[in-house]
Amino acid sequence: MSTGVIGQRIKMKPYLEGIPKCVAQLGDDTESGLAAAQGITTTDLASKQCAVRVKLPGSGVEVTVGGMAKGSGMIHPNMATMLGVVTCDAAVELSAWDSLLRAAVVDSYNQITVDGDTSTNDTVIGLANGAAWPEGVDPVGSGDAEDIAALQEAVTAVCQALAKSIAWDGEGATVLMEVVASGAASDADARAIAKSICGSSLVKSAVYGRDPNWGRIAAAAGYAGVEFDQNDLSVWLGDTQLMSRGQPLEFDEKAASKYMAEAGEEHGTVRIGVRVGDGDGAAKAWGCDLSYDYVKINAEYTT
């Protein structure tokens, strides 16, 4: 795992000299976990950690799923300098662990975007060591439906929390954007629509300017590469509906703008909803607004 300026080679001498020093400082307490999460940050404004405990219904074993991540700019994962580590103390068969981690990534890391630039170094690593597993109890396998479902929910929750924290901490961001797409023919279609809206520079700049411009949202949904009838498109900004079944609605523009402004005052969340039909497909994506500071940070990145 590595991050930094593309094309810059790692200086191996200090890197190799530092490994034994890091190993000597390894620990299993809260402070050690925080030190690791802080140690991988670069332009991040905050370290990113999350952990949950869950009792597996089949085996009855209580396990912990935790994780840490870094990322702030060049974020448009496709698995941006985005790094994530997920750990679990359950004993899980390799194929089952691989499947549930991949499923979690699809609905979390791969649904965030800060600037539309996919990094060369995207990495998510999942580690399950069985430290909490009783002797004589078989590892969780693909046939253990209840335990797999519980683990899947926990791992996805941790990955989504970390992914959202990356989008929240986007370079120059003042708000987290959460886009919910529903009514699609499939979850995959909904994911594409939600991420297209989150990744639109025009939508992101409108959110920064507190401009309730529903046309940009509709356009981004339309060019997502998903077929739907424009007469089925409905759009919401927070609790305010801007469009219904393809027709723009009268709404209080000042109140809609105030909703975004108030979110910006506390670096909160601006929620956008779109419905594209009557299908069962639904998904979320997360991003952030596009501010002047983003341009400044990246214009001066190496100078």
Side-chain angles (χ1 to χ4, degrees):
M1 299 174 68
S2 67
T3 182
V5 179
I6 297 172
Q8 294 281 356
R9 294 185 177 275
I10 296 174
K11 297 177 180 178
M12 295 304 296
K13 186 175 185 297
Y15 180 76
L16 293 174
E17 290 175 347
I19 291 176
K21 298 176 183 178
C22 291
V23 171
Q25 296 178 47
L26 288 175
D28 57 5
D29 55 10
T30 302
E31 290 73 21
S32 297
L34 178 60
Q38 291 174 334
I40 63 173
T41 60
T42 51
T43 59
D44 306 58
L45 296 179
S47 58
K48 302 164 179 70
Q49 296 184 85
C50 179
V52 299
R53 292 190 65 81
V54 59
K55 186 173 183 178
L56 303 182
S59 62
V61 181
E62 187 174 68
V63 299
T64 301
V65 178
M68 65 178 181
K70 69 84 54 190
S72 185
M74 202 174 184
I75 302 294
H76 191 76
N78 187 23
M79 21 212 147
T81 44
M82 190 226 68
L83 307 178
V85 179
V86 179
T87 61
C88 179
D89 55 10
V92 191
E93 291 180 0
L94 178 59
S95 60
W97 179 246
D98 180 75
S99 295
L100 65 87
L101 181 64
R102 288 178 183 274
V105 166
V106 166
D107 285 327
S108 58
Y109 293 109
N110 281 359
Q111 284 301 103
I112 61 172
T113 181
V114 166
D115 45 25
D117 273 307
T118 301
S119 168
T120 57
N121 296 10
D122 283 343
T123 305
V124 175
I125 294 176
L127 306 171
N129 64 5
W133 212 247
E135 290 187 17
V137 178
D138 292 336
V140 178
S142 56
D144 303 315
E146 288 186 324
D147 284 358
I148 286 292
L151 267 181
Q152 183 70 74
E153 184 176 2
V155 173
T156 300
V158 167
C159 288
Q160 285 186 344
L162 294 171
K164 288 168 67 175
S165 70
I166 291 172
W168 176 89
D169 194 25
E171 289 172 343
T174 67
V175 298
L176 172 71
M177 290 169 50
E178 180 177 83
V179 178
V180 180
S182 62
S186 67
D187 289 348
D189 283 354
R191 282 194 291 267
I193 292 168
K195 193 168 184 180
S196 179
I197 295 168
C198 261
S200 164
S201 294
L202 289 178
V203 172
K204 291 157 67 70
S205 57
V207 172
Y208 177 70
R210 315 317 184 207
D211 178 10
N213 191 330
W214 60 263
R216 294 181 177 183
I217 299 171
Y223 64 60
V226 175
E227 187 173 341
F228 64 88
D229 188 334
Q230 67 182 27
N231 293 317
D232 289 333
L233 178 63
S234 298
V235 178
W236 290 263
L237 179 62
D239 294 329
T240 301
Q241 188 167 7
L242 312 182
M243 172 181 277
S244 177
R245 295 288 181 175
Q247 296 299 314
L249 301 176
E250 294 288 337
F251 65 94
D252 188 335
E253 293 188 11
K254 289 185 178 179
S257 180
K258 183 181 179 183
Y259 163 71
M260 292 185 283
E262 289 178 346
E265 288 173 2
E266 57 184 20
H267 204 142
T269 303
V270 169
R271 292 180 171 83
I272 296 171
V274 295
R275 186 167 184 84
V276 297
D278 299 314
D280 295 328
K284 293 181 180 180
W286 299 274
C288 60
D289 55 345
L290 180 60
S291 73
Y292 307 125
D293 284 343
Y294 176 85
V295 177
K296 183 177 180 181
I297 291 167
N298 285 281
E300 303 170 357
Y301 193 70
T302 62
T303 56

